[in-house]
Amino acid sequence: MNYCFGVDIGGTTVKMGLFQFDGALIEKWEIKTRTENEGAAILPDVAEAIRKKLAEYELEKENILGIGVGVPAPVSENGVVNGSANLGWKYKEVKHELEDLTGIVVKVGNDANVAALGEMWKGGGLGNKNMIMVTLGTGVGGGVIVGGHILSGSNGAGGEIGHICVNYEETESCGCGSFGCLEQYASATGIVRLTKKRLAKDDKASILRNSEVSAKTVFDAVKEGDELAIEIAEEFGRYLGYALANLCVITDPSVIVIGGGVSKAGDVLFTYIKKYFEQRVFFANKDVKFALAQLGNDAGICGSAKLILD
Amino acid sequence: MNYCFGVDIGGTTVKMGLFQFDGALIEKWEIKTRTENEGAAILPDVAEAIRKKLAEYELEKENILGIGVGVPAPVSENGVVNGSANLGWKYKEVKHELEDLTGIVVKVGNDANVAALGEMWKGGGLGNKNMIMVTLGTGVGGGVIVGGHILSGSNGAGGEIGHICVNYEETESCGCGSFGCLEQYASATGIVRLTKKRLAKDDKASILRNSEVSAKTVFDAVKEGDELAIEIAEEFGRYLGYALANLCVITDPSVIVIGGGVSKAGDVLFTYIKKYFEQRVFFANKDVKFALAQLGNDAGICGSAKLILD
């Protein structure tokens, strides 16, 4: 029997999974990410965790098809990262270093792209080979899957959906330094920003004036019919729906998968996204399906494993 | 010695090329496209032209690696077209039908995507595997190449760059039925439209008031320092430059190739495109190169051949 590991390196924890060659997840666990000292211990810690797991299951290196790794940074074709703020890394030959430490073949991808691959394989995109995934969390992340493979591009920076410019009139800057990025309107943080601006504009009554403002409270208020909250949802839906229509005309997916904390609002999201998406979608893309992400925090380990099993 | 054919089926002529397996073009020629009777004769005519060429060069079918075909329509993965207005086709199993007629393996792609592949192989994108091609002709066409292959998507409708929405306030409709498509501003027709609107706005002096308005006369006037023409070029550059920045954040190419009739204006185009591109490009994409297309009308036959030689 052959196996592989899926490893998702985040700024706080490293999520790890042991998979059978047929894709079944045997066990998943986490270790702490030690970011001090430019993250020098991260890959040795991963290698040590793998060594222990092999011993626990009485597996030999020869039984392991490879280690797939997702990291929060653009990743070059040969598995090199040129700095990751979340991990403390500067230039880091991730593939080379982890192969040296383990004696096992390693493949590396960007964490958001790898999560998209995981959702295609076992989650909201199951059965599709052409997919857009949008993760609406603190920021907006995502990935584009083309013919079953990650669109990673020439710098490993493909699928940076959060930084599509959707408003050329914006005067507040995005974290990336530019202005008008999708992330400024469709992330959890962006929804709070839109809400605060809207609340400050006039005195219109709203449930939101009496609660802590978050993406959750906004969409809860939408469900209760709060007019001001609905205005925010319309604005959110317009920016995201239009951006998705433009993404489709370039990548022609069969499904759009939406994940991240904001997606917990559920189907109400789709009401506002689809309304604007349908206004602008190119006729050849009109049959694209929408789905919620299903794997949650497991998307990364699943997609990392899929890098190996492909 | 092995060979292949590259075939580019247009609404007026079918361009054909015989290539060696190493990519050298042996001969190119054209036949008429007979679009009458729902284009029923088109594929038999192509098959007959290939039969004659084989006889002329004393080649056997066994020497032919395949026939690559570009057609003006979205093409499904199995080589089926669901209607092509330019050719008169309704549902047409292009791959299947041409294989039956010739006894040779056939691969089929969208003409604009295939032309992009040709430019990557032998033209403005030579040496790159991740590329955006934009063709500024009567309309705006294009293609996205990812890892050396065409991004064709789930309906064969990927890379429809001309139908990215770049202006959500537009009230005139695009040929596709939507509003604000890039094609309405950056095609030859679009530039004429912008110019006529600008000329009608006030009485500002301009060379363009005394000449026939075309993309060529506009950019010629820009080169002579005509202020009104420069306003048009700025508008063109803003829409196209911003759209290309958004394309890059999704597809992360190493080169953007610009072709089509409008590109004959030459380097002056890049001045206006790059000015706005650089205002909005995501930091990870800032090193992307710009290049002019080089193959002209041969891009289609080259890209079609490359479908086979890949």
Side-chain angles (χ1 to χ4, degrees), chain B residues 34-61:
Chain B
R34 292 195 289 153
T35 56
E36 63 272 20
N37 192 21
E38 296 188 357
I42 296 173
L43 293 179
D45 287 352
V46 167
E48 178 58 20
I50 285 172
R51 229 174 349 253
K52 281 189 195 159
K53 199 55 64 178
L54 291 178
E56 186 185 329
Y57 282 84
E58 297 181 358
L59 295 171
E60 300 298 324
K61 269 190 262 184

Side-chain angles (χ1 to χ4, degrees), chain A residues 32-208:
Chain A
K32 197 174 168 311
T33 308
R34 292 196 287 154
T35 55
E36 64 271 22
N37 192 21
E38 296 187 356
I42 296 173
L43 293 179
D45 286 352
V46 168
E48 178 59 21
I50 285 172
R51 222 170 359 248
K52 281 188 194 157
K53 198 57 61 176
L54 292 178
E56 185 185 329
Y57 282 84
E58 296 181 357
L59 295 171
E60 301 297 325
K61 269 191 262 185
E62 290 63 39
N63 300 120
I64 306 301
L65 299 167
I67 305 167
V69 182
V71 299
V75 181
S76 77
E77 221 173 323
N78 52 353
V80 174
V81 164
N82 250 312
S84 168
N86 292 351
L87 305 185
W89 288 350
K90 310 294 182 195
Y91 176 89
K92 176 73 86 180
E93 297 183 359
V94 182
K95 173 182 166 66
H96 186 77
E97 186 174 331
L98 193 57
E99 285 182 343
D100 276 356
L101 286 164
T102 60
I104 298 170
V105 170
V106 172
K107 290 189 183 176
V108 191
N110 168 268
D111 57 355
N113 291 348
V114 160
L117 186 65
E119 286 288 342
M120 181 202 76
W121 185 35
K122 294 187 165 215
L126 185 67
N128 296 273
K129 293 195 303 181
N130 295 283
M131 185 185 118
I132 292 167
M133 165 127 181
V134 188
T135 307
L136 308 172
T138 311
V140 172
V144 177
I145 306 293
V146 173
H149 300 284
I150 291 170
L151 194 176
S152 51
S154 62
N155 303 293
E160 285 280 2
I161 293 171
H163 300 285
I164 295 175
C165 185
V166 296
N167 179 6
Y168 291 102
E169 315 305 320
E170 181 60 70
T171 54
E172 290 181 30
S173 74
C174 176
C176 77
S178 193
F179 296 85
C181 294
L182 179 60
E183 180 161 297
Q184 293 183 271
Y185 312 92
S187 64
T189 327
I191 292 167
V192 169
R193 191 178 75 95
L194 292 180
T195 308
K196 290 193 169 160
K197 281 181 78 166
R198 177 63 192 83
L199 287 171
K201 202 177 93 177
D202 59 30
D203 291 333
K204 184 166 183 169
S206 170
I207 303 169
L208 296 169

Side-chain angles (χ1 to χ4, degrees), chain A residues 15-33:
Chain A
K15 297 178 178 61
M16 303 184 68
L18 174 64
F19 293 79
Q20 281 180 189
F21 76 100
D22 64 0
L25 175 60
I26 306 299
E27 188 191 343
K28 60 176 180 172
W29 72 100
E30 292 183 6
I31 61 173
K32 197 174 168 311
T33 308

Side-chain angles (χ1 to χ4, degrees), chain A residues 74 77 129-130 144 146 150-161 163-170 176 178-180 242-243 246-254 279-285, chain B residues 74 77 129-130 144 146 150-161 163-170 176 178-180 242-243 246-254 279-285:
Chain A
E77 221 173 323
K129 293 195 303 181
N130 295 283
V144 177
V146 173
I150 291 170
L151 194 176
S152 51
S154 62
N155 303 293
E160 285 280 2
I161 293 171
H163 300 285
I164 295 175
C165 185
V166 296
N167 179 6
Y168 291 102
E169 315 305 320
E170 181 60 70
C176 77
S178 193
F179 296 85
Y242 285 173
N246 273 353
L247 271 163
C248 285
V249 84
I250 302 309
T251 65
D252 186 18
S254 48
Q279 280 181 14
R280 295 291 174 174
V281 66
F282 187 55
F283 63 87
N285 308 125
Chain B
E77 221 173 327
K129 293 195 304 181
N130 296 284
V144 177
V146 173
I150 291 169
L151 194 175
S152 51
S154 63
N155 302 293
E160 285 281 2
I161 293 171
H163 300 285
I164 296 176
C165 185
V166 295
N167 179 6
Y168 292 102
E169 314 305 322
E170 182 59 69
C176 76
S178 193
F179 296 83
Y242 286 173
N246 272 354
L247 272 163
C248 284
V249 84
I250 303 311
T251 65
D252 186 16
S254 48
Q279 280 179 17
R280 294 293 174 174
V281 66
F282 187 55
F283 63 86
N285 309 125

Side-chain angles (χ1 to χ4, degrees), chain B residues 170-237:
Chain B
E170 182 59 69
T171 54
E172 290 181 29
S173 75
C174 177
C176 76
S178 193
F179 296 83
C181 294
L182 180 60
E183 180 160 297
Q184 294 182 271
Y185 312 91
S187 64
T189 326
I191 292 168
V192 169
R193 191 178 75 94
L194 292 181
T195 307
K196 290 190 170 162
K197 282 181 77 166
R198 178 61 193 83
L199 288 172
K201 204 177 92 177
D202 59 31
D203 291 333
K204 184 165 182 170
S206 169
I207 303 170
L208 296 169
R209 296 198 185 273
N210 310 314
S211 66
E212 195 191 352
V213 173
S214 69
K216 182 176 181 340
T217 56
V218 170
F219 280 103
D220 284 347
V222 169
K223 288 175 197 168
E224 293 182 42
D226 186 272
E227 279 184 27
L228 188 143
I230 290 171
E231 286 179 40
I232 315 283
E234 296 273 356
E235 193 172 2
F236 159 89

